[in-house]
């Protein structure tokens, strides 16, 4: 009985080490190692090659190694009866909250503008805004969205939220469903997207949304690239509907060299680093889920196949 770690990046060994340190009695393997595929009971995955998990005939569950599990649902060759789990971790939430606060701060204080001017040796002061003068709209009020809202509020921003489903108990104003979306957007001077990627949310950041935001609004997308219609964003920036966008996630990652976002002066790019699962912090929940699967118990943080997250 064992765990297989399957990732598309160079972090497989770091995850294997963290899982082994957490549970020296549990065999943990990665692709290329010598093990019996029939021994694998749990696959711990991040953007695994679609179809690759079929080689493990005795899987009891699939553990995503991040908050978002869209890439697992996109693998149509995964058995329907297998539970799929995601990561819920305090660092994942607090890292995201710190990142969005930093980006929003940089926007109001125009840090990207001055960095660019510095490259031209240009001394050109511009006005700035205070936190309390600005309303941030958060789309998606799951664990990360709520952590972001809380940190922005504590810093002094006004916050409004939008959720498609249940209304969380919070002090700030929350709008719900498509009926209340326009009212939410009209308030959002900075729009932060933290929605899961599902068939229902794909392309949700589009021209209609940008046109409804206050003129010159700003966008922060830290969720998934395909939530955004790239062409609509470029149009909205060029028409002055939006003044700038900070994007951490993209349809294709790494962002292709010839993508127009790279050269656009109002698009600021980070390489999907807003909040990254910390193997040491996350390892205990993965081992605990593995032990539950082996015992026939229900693991934690199972996602819903019908909701897609
Ligand atoms: C990061 O993108 C995650 O889903 O955890």
């Amino acid at each position: 009985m064992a765990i297989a770690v399957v990732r598309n990046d160079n972090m497989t060994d770091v995850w294997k080490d963290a899982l082994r340190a957490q549970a020296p009695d549990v065999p943990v393997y990665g692709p290329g190692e010598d093990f019996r595929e029939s021994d694998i009971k749990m696959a711990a995955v991040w953007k695994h090659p679609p179809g690759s998990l079929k080689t493990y005939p005795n899987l009891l569950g699939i553990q995503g190694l991040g908050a978002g599990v869209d890439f697992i649902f996109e693998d149509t060759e995964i058995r329907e009866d297998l539970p799929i789990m995601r990561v819920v971790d305090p660092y994942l939430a607090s890292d995201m909250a710190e990142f969005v606060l930093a980006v929003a701060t940089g926007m109001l204080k125009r840090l990207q503008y001055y960095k660019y001017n510095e490259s031209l040796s240009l001394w050109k002061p511009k006005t700035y805004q205070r936190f309390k003068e600005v309303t941030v709209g958060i789309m998606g009020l799951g664990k990360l969205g709520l952590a972001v809202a809380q940190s922005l509020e504590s810093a002094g921003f006004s916050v409004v939220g939008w959720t498609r489903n249940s209304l969380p108990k919070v002090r700030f104003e929350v709008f719900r469903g498509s009926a209340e979306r326009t009212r939410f957007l009209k308030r959002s001077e900075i729009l932060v997207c933290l929605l899961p990627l599902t068939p229902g949310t794909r392309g949700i950041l589009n021209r209609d949304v940008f046109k409804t935001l206050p003129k010159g609004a700003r966008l922060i997308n830290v969720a998934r690239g395909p939530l955004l219609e790239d062409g609509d964003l470029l149009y909205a920036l060029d028409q002055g509907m939006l003044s700038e966008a900070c994007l951490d996630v993209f349809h294709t990652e790494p962002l292709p060299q010839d993508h127009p976002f790279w050269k656009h002066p109002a698009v600021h790019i980070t390489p999907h680093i807003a909040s990254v699962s910390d193997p040491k912090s996350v390892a205990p929940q993965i081992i605990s889920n593995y032990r539950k699967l082996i015992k026939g118990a229900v693991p934690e943080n199972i996602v819903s196949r019908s909701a897609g997250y």
Side-chain angles (χ1 to χ4, degrees), residues 2-268:
I3 300 177
V5 177
V6 191
R7 298 183 59 95
N8 74 334
D9 57 12
N10 58 3
M11 293 292 286
T12 302
D13 286 345
V14 177
W15 279 94
K16 280 189 329 201
D17 291 350
L19 294 173
R20 286 175 181 153
Q22 178 65 31
D25 60 308
V26 175
V28 182
Y29 300 112
E33 277 180 285
D34 192 19
F35 61 92
R36 278 206 308 266
E37 286 163 335
S38 57
D39 279 350
I40 302 300
K41 299 290 179 184
M42 174 199 261
V45 298
W46 177 253
K47 300 194 178 175
H48 62 284
S52 59
L53 306 184
K54 269 191 325 209
T55 53
Y56 308 127
N58 297 323
L59 274 185
L60 298 173
I62 299 181
Q63 172 72 59
L65 290 175
V69 288
D70 41 289
F71 65 94
I72 303 178
F73 286 119
E74 278 164 20
D75 182 349
T76 51
E77 295 182 61
I78 286 178
R79 268 177 23 225
E80 297 243 328
D81 60 314
L82 289 181
I84 296 172
M85 290 77 73
R86 71 186 188 114
V87 167
V88 175
D89 176 64
Y91 282 133
L92 212 46
S94 62
D95 289 356
M96 184 59 86
E98 288 179 8
F99 184 84
V100 173
L101 180 59
V103 169
T105 305
M107 286 174 155
L108 299 194
K109 307 304 171 188
R110 303 193 186 275
L111 299 185
Q112 297 273 3
Y113 165 80
Y114 293 120
K115 193 71 209 156
Y116 177 70
N117 284 358
E118 186 186 330
S119 72
L120 307 173
S121 309
L122 199 62
W123 181 280
K124 212 170 162 199
K126 237 182 172 182
T127 55
Y128 55 83
Q129 284 169 291
R130 302 188 179 102
F131 294 174
K132 66 176 185 182
E133 296 164 352
V134 175
T135 300
V136 183
I138 300 173
M139 285 184 111
L141 297 174
K143 299 255 186 301
L144 302 188
L146 288 176
V148 167
Q150 196 183 21
S151 95
L152 290 170
E153 264 202 317
S154 315
F157 284 92
S158 297
V159 169
V160 291
W162 182 75
T163 169
R164 286 166 312 143
N165 306 311
S166 54
L167 284 179
K169 280 208 179 68
V170 287
R171 278 174 313 158
F172 57 87
E173 198 172 350
V174 175
F175 299 86
R176 183 165 179 247
S178 43
E180 296 182 11
R181 200 168 70 172
T182 301
R183 278 173 54 218
F184 161 77
L185 292 171
K186 282 188 181 301
R187 296 274 298 281
S188 302
E189 296 169 287
I190 299 180
L191 182 66
V192 179
C193 182
L194 275 159
L195 290 168
L197 176 63
T198 68
T201 60
R202 188 173 284 269
I204 197 167
L205 299 173
N206 55 35
R207 198 180 289 204
D208 288 342
V209 163
F210 301 146
K211 170 162 104 199
T212 312
L213 294 170
K215 192 170 164 52
R218 292 150 157 147
L219 172 70
I220 302 176
N221 185 16
V222 278
R224 286 290 184 264
L227 294 163
L228 172 67
E229 292 292 349
D230 291 1
D232 288 6
L233 173 62
L234 292 168
Y235 176 83
L237 289 167
D238 294 340
Q239 295 298 309
M241 291 174 198
L242 292 186
S243 59
E244 62 183 327
C246 271
L247 307 177
D248 185 56
V249 286
F250 303 90
H251 283 256
T252 305
E253 294 178 4
L255 183 64
Q257 281 301 311
D258 58 352
H259 197 290
F261 284 166
W262 282 116
K263 295 253 154 58
H264 199 291
V267 177
H268 313 304

